[in-house]
Structures are given as C-alpha cells and as structure tokens.
Amino acid sequence: MGLVVQKYGGSSVADAEGIKRVAKRIVEAKKNGNQVVVVVSAMGDTTDELIDLAAQVSPMPAGREFDMLLTAGERISMALLAMAIKNLGHEAQSFTGSQAGVITDSVHNKARIIDVTPGRIRTALDEGNIAIVAGFQGVSADKKDITTLGRGGSDTTAVALAAALDAEVCEIYTDVDGVFTADPRVVKKAKKIDWISFEDMLELAASGSKVLLHRCVEYARRYNIPIHVRSSFSGLQGTWVSSEPIGDKKVEQAIISGVAHDTSEAKITVVGVPDKPGEAAAIFRAIADAQINIDMVVQNVSAAATGLTDISFTLPKTEGRKAIGALERNRPGIGFDSLRYDDQIGKISLVGAGMKTNPGVTAAFFEALSDAGVNIELISTSEIRISVVTRKDDVAEAVRAVHTAFGLDSDTDEAVVYGGTGR
Amino acid sequence: MGLVVQKYGGSSVADAEGIKRVAKRIVEAKKNGNQVVVVVSAMGDTTDELIDLAAQVSPMPAGREFDMLLTAGERISMALLAMAIKNLGHEAQSFTGSQAGVITDSVHNKARIIDVTPGRIRTALDEGNIAIVAGFQGVSADKKDITTLGRGGSDTTAVALAAALDAEVCEIYTDVDGVFTADPRVVKKAKKIDWISFEDMLELAASGSKVLLHRCVEYARRYNIPIHVRSSFSGLQGTWVSSEPIGDKKVEQAIISGVAHDTSEAKITVVGVPDKPGEAAAIFRAIADAQINIDMVVQNVSAAATGLTDISFTLPKTEGRKAIGALERNRPGIGFDSLRYDDQIGKISLVGAGMKTNPGVTAAFFEALSDAGVNIELISTSEIRISVVTRKDDVAEAVRAVHTAFGLDSDTDEAVVYGGTGR
C-alpha cells in the first residue's frame, strides 16, 4: 500500500461544491489502496477577506497576530473537507500545521520549515483515516507560536510532509492541467510537459513560471520527492517533476523544456559610476543591507574618456522604492551621477538541460527575437537557461516567437485554465 | 496591581468598529494599573456562517471536525483584537484555548472544562502583555483534539481563567447594562440589579434569565470569583454577582431578586398510569436513558374509581420528539393509556433569598397571578424560588403583574438593549 500526499489550492476548494468535488477525488485515491494525506489551502478569497479585516483594525498588523488571523482560513477549509469525506463514508481527521508537526523558525509571515514530526498523522493513517492537514502554516520551534510560510506555502507543506512520511508522490492539484512549455494565457499553442527534471523546473520557476514555486521544487529535489502537478478539475495526467522519468514509458529529456516570462521586475540603472575596483561592491552591499534580492546585473563597457561607467540591475518592482532609497542614502560613499528607474521591462527565459550540449541554442534564440523585431536590453545565462530583458510591451510577442522557433508549438490549442490561483 | 479578566461577546466585536471600541476599553483597564486577560467570542454572525457552510458539505457534521471548524471564529476575532490593541501602543498577544491551557473532556460540541493550566498566559502578563484568549474552546486531555464548550462557553472560559489566575473580578461585557429584575423586552420598568448573590443568580439562570448561563455562575460560585456583568457599549456600572456585596457601599439583600420567564419548554402528560409503586420511576428512567433533562414534575391525585393517575413534566421543546419516542418504546413496561404533548406553555419564576423568611411571598405571588386572570397549570418551588406553568400567551402579562406586585418596577424605563446576543 502506497502513501500519497495530495495538495489542493484555494481555487479547488472555493465553495461547498468544490469541497465536495475534491472530497470525491480524495476518496478515489483511498479506494485505490493508498494511504492518503491531503494538504489544503484556505477557501478561495478567504485570505484576502481576512487581510482586509486586519487592515480595518490596524494599518500595520503585527507578524504574530497576522499569522494567527490568516491560519483561520485553512482551519475552515480543512474541517469542511474532513466533514465532506466522512459524509462519503470514509474516516477523515483534520490537523493544523502545529498538530501535524510542521515546525518552523520564528520569522512570522514567511517562516521556513525546519523540521516535520508527523507522529499524529502517522497514527491517524494507521487507524484508517484520511489525514487532512492545513497548508501554509506551522508552529515555531522556540516560542510555540503559530507561523505562516508565505507565498506558495501550502505547496511547501505538501512536499515537506511527503518527505517526512516517505510518500511515493506529492500530487499538487491546481487549476491548470500541469506545467506548460509557456504560459498558456500568452501562447495558445503551449504544450503540457509530461515530465521535467527538478533542475529545469527550478529554472522555470526562477524565471517567472508560476505553477510551482522555486522553494517547493527545491525542497522536493533535496528529498527526492516526485511531484505530480495536475488539475483538480479535469482529472487528467499532468506533469511529473522528478530526478528521473517515472513509470513504464520512457520519456526522453527534451532539449528545451519551455519558455518562461516575467513582467514583475523593474530595472535600476546607476549612471556615472567611477570605473574603479570596489564600486560595484559598494552598490550591491547597499542593496543587500536593505534586504533586497536582485536578479540580473549588467555593467556597461566604461567610456574611456570619462572613466565612468553605468551599472544596471533588475529586481522585483515591489522593492523598487526601497532600493532607490538605499542607493540615495549611500550616494556619498558610492559616488554616482544619477539613478534611472524603469518598470516597463519584461524578461523572457529559455530553459532546457539540452542547451549544455547544443551550441546552436543561444544563436537560434537571438535570431528568433530579432526576426520578431524585439530589442534586447540585458542578457544573462546559466548552464541550462538564457534570459533577456526587453520592453514589457514586446514580451508576449517574444515568447510566442521563441516558442515557435524551438518547435514547442502544439498542433492544437490544448491548454485550459480552469479558475483563479490559490496560495 | 490587580488582575482582571474581561469577556466580550460576539455582538461587542461584530465588526472592525466594535473591535476598535473594545480595544480602547481594554487599554483603559490596563492603564488603570491592572493586568488584563481578555476572553473573546467569534465576531457577530461568524459562527452562524460557519454552521451554514458545514450544512452545505454534510448533513451531519461530525463532532471533532465541527469543533475544528467553529474555533476558526474566535481565532479571527482574537487576532484582530490583539492587532487593534497593539495599534493603540500596548503589547498584546492572542492565545487559542489550547495555548491558554483550557483542558476539557472529549465530548465534542459540549465539552466540560476539567483543568486550566494558564502558564503561557501568566508569562505573557509578566512580560507586560495584554493576553487575548479565544473563548468557547479548549483541548481534550486525552487525544489533544480541539473541543468547544457549547452554549455560553465563552463566559465559562472567562470564569475558569479568572479562577485559575486568581483574578480579582471576571467582567462579562454584553449588550445589556446588567442583570435586570425581569427581561427588559417584556417589562419596560425592569430595574438593573446592583448586586445579586450567586444563589439567586443560579435560580434566575435556571428559570430562563439569559444574561448569564447557569453553568458559568456555578463555576464562579465554586471558586468564589466575583462576576461583574456590564455593557460594552455604555461603560456604566453593571450587576455584581458574588457571595457577598463588594466595595464600600453596603448593598442590602433584596427580598426578591427578580422575575424570570421561559417559553422554551413543553409539557408532556402521561395519561392513565396505574397508581402503584415504581410507575413514576419507570417513566423517568425511560426519559433519563434517552439523555433528556426534565424540569418540573407533577402527579395528579389518583382517581379512586379507576386506580389510574396522570403524570405531567416539562422539558426543553427541542427534546420533545425524543421524549415521546422513548416513552412509546417503553409503553409495554410502563403501561399508560396515552401521551399528550403541549408546547404552548410558559414558566414564570419568582426568585429571592428573602422568601425563606417571608412567609407571605407565595400567597402574594398567586394573588398577583389571579388578579391578572392567569390560570396556573403546574407549580414547583425551591427554598428561594416559586415557579408556575401557564399558557404561553399569558406569560408576558403574568411577568408584568408579578413584577409590579412585588414593588420591583422602576420609576423610569431604564433598560436599554444594545445589540444581538453573542455566544
């Protein structure tokens, strides 16, 4: 008998009907002879409603209490889901993150899991129950306070439980049929990927693909837990993410896994920086001290006449104001002329392990962009990824052009998006 | 420095405005030099909304999961209240029933508190925090499952915490100004009671007064915790419930504390019971085995000719169907002719310790009812209470007549009802 961890996002359990549909799917997995652990997010808009309530009583809700508040959301969905399963004649028990043994550090609102001690879950399973666990939440090791894991936290809960329980697979149910070769909302002919390696998935997630978050894939790779991303609406086979292809059929590793894009970043250019050692370090020390993560960095060739150069980097738009402030404060020490802020950019990334052994990929990528009339502003590469920054308005066209150029287009418009996005 | 436990019902924290108003009141108590522990119910209609959701997924929500669901309500209100207090510049931390050490038995949906171990609350207070505790909930001693305490549970939580923390007073904030000599919705001239003994309050609660539940008063009497029932809207002095009057001013024990009424009961008459030993026992054994609590019991004088008698008793209307079923099933053993069920009755009770030493009270009570043209169907008395059952339609008139006859009428219409009722 296998052990399966399933995770359902907020859009899958948005209302009573959704909860009943999910309950049936869970019972099916149980009937197939599995022990089943289910991780569930808060229902649809619950979290937003709670955040709105908090804003009404306090302009700056405190971390500890904010976590206490938000975790009410999963408490509701998990109890309802357990009831719905019992109503189908199967035993189910719901558990909070704390009860399930999800131990975290003490960083409220974005805690990290440091241990999982699923003793109560194991007991519940051994007694024949389906165990329903609140996603997104845990309890801090030191103070025993309730914590939340931040964006995508429920996926991470599911993978962490799968690892701790030595599950065969962690099934992430969502509102799309799996991971696609590009965002189906942009590329109608995007294809569902049957299997993708952890490495390629990590690059896609880092490059703007939103189906799985980087943190969750990283966790799965570390403990070698296969993830099966699939739709809670269609029931079709989705995308397997694992170190090696799983099952009977041999799946060949694609040269290119997919094209990702990201329009959530902005570009800051530090103009007129003295071209001497230590300058770049001073800039990025100021940014790092402000707790800001940056993405791509490019330094122009110095203009010999002036001895000055420009340094550009990209970062999440949400951090833009903070970064500008940090640089202005450190202006005397760094000594630059001016700052330029540009939030009308977009990033397109081509991801695939096959790149390593196919030297023509980079050239074909640039040719495709050029043919589509897309101007490139920044370039960055890893062993299995090429990313460029362009004008935001060019992103959709660029993604479609690259997708076609690398032969990723499907013969049909197969991608279906079923609902909103959970957390 | 004193320690005060305050309890706020759902109507006091029905929305963000209510929460902010309550936060100010709490901060005031803290500024007055007290350590403050606050027990809070779920916001306004939250509980009803959760019950409605449960009904949508399952016709018979299970006990354990139903408790898990409902306790999300206090989680929301307590976190918001803590945020609102912090926003006023004071430290506050919220705690679930489990975190606050409210240990119960395992009877889901109506658990009883068996111990309170408020170590975390004590620590939070010693660190200068206001402690906010979820009412109505606890954790079972054996299985560590979340439980709820049933109707009026938050009041009981407050009194239990006050006892465990050796508080000076347990303040129950509600939507009326205190305990009145009669229900202000029925008797416009009802007077607020300044002080009432535990004993009289217990009789009033048992007779239909809804301001405090019997169970909560019983707990307070056992641990001798003074209760101060008052309005969260007006801020006026309310009603003190304690063993002896508290404070400087001597309050004289009133001969009559008040008039209570109850229209939630029904009457069952077992007709044609053989008048021989063991018959009544057989009837009430059948009722007790069905887990039904009865209230008043009356047996008619036997008609000598037939050797048969009738036995009538009252019970909550909600148990009527179950009781009839239990009696019918046991009909062969008991041997009665027929059953009569009457849910058009009402009970009026006069409560006051002074009754013991004032022999005229009973006579005056019956005279008042007679003068008002109210027919009496059943009578039951305790040392400090007389209750009668009448037609339901006569109850309001009867209460007013008795209230006036015993000189309880206020010179003004002072009673104000501010909102709905919490749990």
Side-chain angles (χ1 to χ4, degrees):
Chain A
M1 190 160 73
L3 194 157
V4 174
V5 174
Q6 300 187 331
K7 179 260 171 177
Y8 294 91
S11 59
S12 301
V13 292
D15 52 21
E17 282 318 302
I19 287 170
K20 286 194 263 190
R21 190 187 61 240
V22 164
K24 273 187 206 148
R25 191 172 289 284
I26 293 166
V27 164
E28 230 159 84
K30 170 84 177 172
K31 279 187 185 160
N32 288 341
N34 298 295
Q35 288 191 318
V36 185
V37 176
V38 176
V39 174
V40 67
S41 301
M43 292 170 73
D45 302 326
T46 308
T47 304
D48 289 339
E49 287 165 16
L50 292 174
I51 290 172
D52 184 52
L53 264 177
Q56 286 178 46
V57 301
S58 170
M60 293 187 308
R64 181 188 186 279
E65 302 307 322
F66 200 59
D67 282 353
M68 186 67 97
L69 177 73
L70 292 189
T71 51
E74 289 82 30
R75 199 176 190 86
I76 293 170
S77 56
M78 74 186 194
L80 291 172
L81 188 52
M83 288 177 197
I85 291 170
K86 288 171 90 86
N87 199 38
L88 296 174
H90 288 257
E91 286 305 311
Q93 289 195 337
S94 65
F95 298 91
T96 64
S98 169
Q99 290 176 336
V102 179
I103 317 288
T104 72
D105 60 21
S106 301
V107 184
H108 283 291
N109 308 344
K110 47 178 179 179
R112 294 193 73 88
I113 295 175
I114 55 179
D115 196 10
V116 180
T117 53
R120 288 189 69 171
I121 303 298
R122 185 71 79 183
T123 304
L125 293 174
D126 290 346
E127 290 172 1
N129 288 289
I130 294 167
I132 315 291
V133 179
F136 180 66
Q137 57 177 255
V139 63
S140 69
D142 53 353
K143 291 189 181 166
K144 310 292 175 217
D145 280 334
I146 303 305
T147 53
T148 64
L149 308 178
R151 232 171 83 70
S154 291
D155 288 3
T156 310
T157 302
V159 172
L161 270 173
L165 292 165
D166 201 18
E168 282 182 0
V169 57
C170 178
E171 297 184 334
I172 307 274
Y173 284 90
T174 179
D175 49 8
V176 291
D177 278 326
V179 181
F180 281 75
T181 50
D183 184 336
R185 283 165 304 188
V186 171
V187 181
K188 286 271 179 295
K189 290 190 180 301
K191 271 189 299 200
K192 189 184 72 187
I193 300 170
D194 291 327
W195 171 78
I196 184 170
S197 68
F198 284 129
E199 287 69 25
D200 279 18
M201 191 64 233
L202 280 171
E203 290 284 3
L204 281 180
S207 305
S209 167
K210 295 192 176 56
V211 183
L212 286 179
L213 284 186
H214 194 272
R215 175 183 182 190
C216 153
V217 182
E218 207 174 43
Y219 207 110
R221 179 174 62 164
R222 193 181 331 142
Y223 293 97
N224 198 20
I225 299 296
I227 296 178
H228 186 187
V229 185
R230 57 197 303 196
S231 162
S232 72
F233 296 80
S234 75
L236 299 173
Q237 278 284 313
T239 301
W240 285 85
V241 187
S242 57
S243 51
E244 298 291 334
I246 284 178
D248 314 329
K249 55 177 178 185
K250 276 280 171 209
V251 179
E252 201 178 348
Q253 167 106 34
I255 294 176
I256 299 299
S257 285
V259 186
H261 71 275
D262 189 352
T263 54
S264 69
E265 296 194 337
K267 181 174 71 170
I268 290 177
T269 303
V270 189
V271 181
V273 181
D275 192 4
K276 59 178 201 229
E279 280 301 308
I283 288 171
F284 293 110
R285 168 52 53 202
I287 296 295
D289 286 349
Q291 302 285 321
I292 296 167
N293 286 320
I294 61 168
D295 182 17
M296 295 163 73
V297 179
V298 161
Q299 177 168 346
N300 287 359
V301 175
S302 171
T306 59
L308 295 178
T309 185
D310 300 339
I311 293 179
S312 296
F313 62 92
T314 61
L315 76 176
K317 272 181 205 167
T318 49
E319 305 281 22
R321 184 187 294 264
K322 203 160 70 166
I324 295 287
L327 289 171
E328 285 293 358
R329 272 197 308 282
N330 290 281
R331 189 169 187 156
I334 306 171
F336 55 84
D337 278 351
S338 61
L339 296 174
R340 277 191 222 132
Y341 181 74
D342 179 0
D343 60 5
Q344 294 302 308
I345 63 162
K347 185 172 74 167
I348 298 112
S349 303
L350 186 70
V351 172
M355 256 179 229
K356 286 187 274 194
T357 48
N358 284 272
V361 168
T362 307
F365 181 60
F366 290 133
E367 279 161 17
L369 292 171
S370 163
D371 290 349
V374 173
N375 192 43
I376 297 169
E377 303 184 12
L378 297 179
I379 301 171
S380 121
T381 60
S382 82
E383 239 189 349
I384 60 174
R385 176 185 51 78
I386 319 172
S387 301
V388 296
V389 166
T390 68
R391 286 295 86 199
K392 191 176 176 182
D393 291 343
D394 289 339
V395 166
E397 185 50 38
V399 171
R400 282 189 286 264
V402 172
H403 197 266
T404 303
F406 281 89
L408 297 172
D409 285 359
S410 163
D411 298 335
T412 57
D413 296 358
E414 65 176 68
V416 186
V417 180
Y418 299 91
T421 322
R423 77 179 176 203
Chain B
M1 192 159 73
L3 194 158
V4 174
V5 174
Q6 300 187 330
K7 179 260 171 177
Y8 294 90
S11 59
S12 301
V13 293
D15 52 22
E17 283 316 304
I19 287 170
K20 286 195 262 190
R21 191 187 61 241
V22 165
K24 274 186 202 149
R25 192 172 288 284
I26 293 167
V27 164
E28 230 160 83
K30 170 86 174 169
K31 280 187 183 160
N32 287 340
N34 298 295
Q35 289 192 318
V36 185
V37 176
V38 176
V39 173
V40 68
S41 301
M43 292 170 74
D45 302 326
T46 309
T47 304
D48 289 339
E49 286 164 19
L50 292 173
I51 291 173
D52 184 53
L53 266 176
Q56 287 178 47
V57 301
S58 172
M60 294 186 308
R64 180 187 186 280
E65 302 307 322
F66 200 59
D67 282 353
M68 187 68 97
L69 177 72
L70 292 189
T71 51
E74 289 81 31
R75 199 175 189 88
I76 294 170
S77 56
M78 74 186 194
L80 291 172
L81 188 52
M83 288 177 195
I85 291 171
K86 289 170 91 86
N87 200 38
L88 296 174
H90 289 257
E91 287 305 313
Q93 289 195 338
S94 65
F95 298 91
T96 63
S98 170
Q99 290 176 335
V102 179
I103 317 290
T104 72
D105 61 22
S106 301
V107 184
H108 283 292
N109 308 346
K110 48 179 180 178
R112 295 193 71 86
I113 296 176
I114 55 179
D115 196 10
V116 180
T117 54
R120 288 188 70 171
I121 303 298
R122 183 73 79 184
T123 303
L125 292 174
D126 291 347
E127 290 172 1
N129 288 288
I130 293 166
I132 315 291
V133 179
F136 180 67
Q137 57 177 255
V139 61
S140 69
D142 53 352
K143 291 190 183 167
K144 310 291 176 218
D145 281 334
I146 303 304
T147 52
T148 64
L149 307 178
R151 233 171 80 70
S154 291
D155 288 3
T156 309
T157 304
V159 171
L161 270 173
L165 292 164
D166 201 17
E168 283 182 359
V169 56
C170 178
E171 298 185 333
I172 308 274
Y173 285 88
T174 179
D175 50 8
V176 290
D177 279 326
V179 181
F180 281 74
T181 50
D183 185 335
R185 284 167 301 190
V186 170
V187 181
K188 287 269 180 298
K189 289 189 180 305
K191 271 188 300 198
K192 190 184 75 189
I193 300 170
D194 292 326
W195 171 77
I196 186 172
S197 68
F198 284 129
E199 287 70 25
D200 279 18
M201 192 64 232
L202 280 171
E203 289 284 4
L204 281 179
S207 305
S209 167
K210 296 195 173 53
V211 183
L212 287 178
L213 284 186
H214 194 273
R215 175 182 182 192
C216 153
V217 182
E218 206 172 44
Y219 207 109
R221 178 174 65 165
R222 194 183 327 144
Y223 293 97
N224 198 22
I225 299 296
I227 297 178
H228 186 186
V229 184
R230 56 196 304 193
S231 163
S232 72
F233 295 81
S234 75
L236 298 173
Q237 278 284 313
T239 300
W240 285 84
V241 187
S242 58
S243 52
E244 298 291 333
I246 283 177
D248 312 330
K249 55 176 177 184
K250 275 280 168 210
V251 180
E252 203 178 347
Q253 166 104 39
I255 294 177
I256 298 301
S257 285
V259 186
H261 71 276
D262 188 351
T263 53
S264 70
E265 297 194 336
K267 183 176 69 173
I268 289 178
T269 303
V270 189
V271 180
V273 182
D275 191 5
K276 57 176 198 218
E279 280 301 307
I283 289 171
F284 294 110
R285 167 53 52 204
I287 296 295
D289 286 349
Q291 302 282 324
I292 297 167
N293 285 319
I294 59 165
D295 182 16
M296 295 162 75
V297 180
V298 161
Q299 176 168 347
N300 288 359
V301 176
S302 169
T306 59
L308 296 177
T309 186
D310 300 340
I311 293 179
S312 296
F313 61 92
T314 63
L315 76 175
K317 270 180 206 167
T318 48
E319 305 281 23
R321 184 186 294 262
K322 205 159 68 166
I324 296 287
L327 289 171
E328 285 293 359
R329 273 197 307 283
N330 289 280
R331 190 170 185 153
I334 306 171
F336 55 84
D337 277 352
S338 61
L339 296 175
R340 278 192 221 131
Y341 181 74
D342 179 359
D343 60 6
Q344 294 301 307
I345 62 162
K347 184 172 73 165
I348 299 114
S349 303
L350 187 70
V351 172
M355 254 179 231
K356 285 187 273 192
T357 49
N358 283 270
V361 168
T362 308
F365 181 62
F366 290 133
E367 279 162 16
L369 292 171
S370 165
D371 289 350
V374 174
N375 191 42
I376 299 169
E377 303 184 12
L378 298 179
I379 302 172
S380 119
T381 60
S382 82
E383 239 190 346
I384 60 173
R385 175 184 52 79
I386 319 172
S387 302
V388 297
V389 166
T390 69
R391 285 295 89 198
K392 190 177 178 183
D393 291 342
D394 289 338
V395 165
E397 185 51 36
V399 171
R400 282 189 286 266
V402 171
H403 198 265
T404 303
F406 282 89
L408 297 172
D409 285 0
S410 161
D411 298 335
T412 58
D413 296 358
E414 65 176 70
V416 186
V417 180
Y418 299 89
T421 321
R423 75 179 175 204

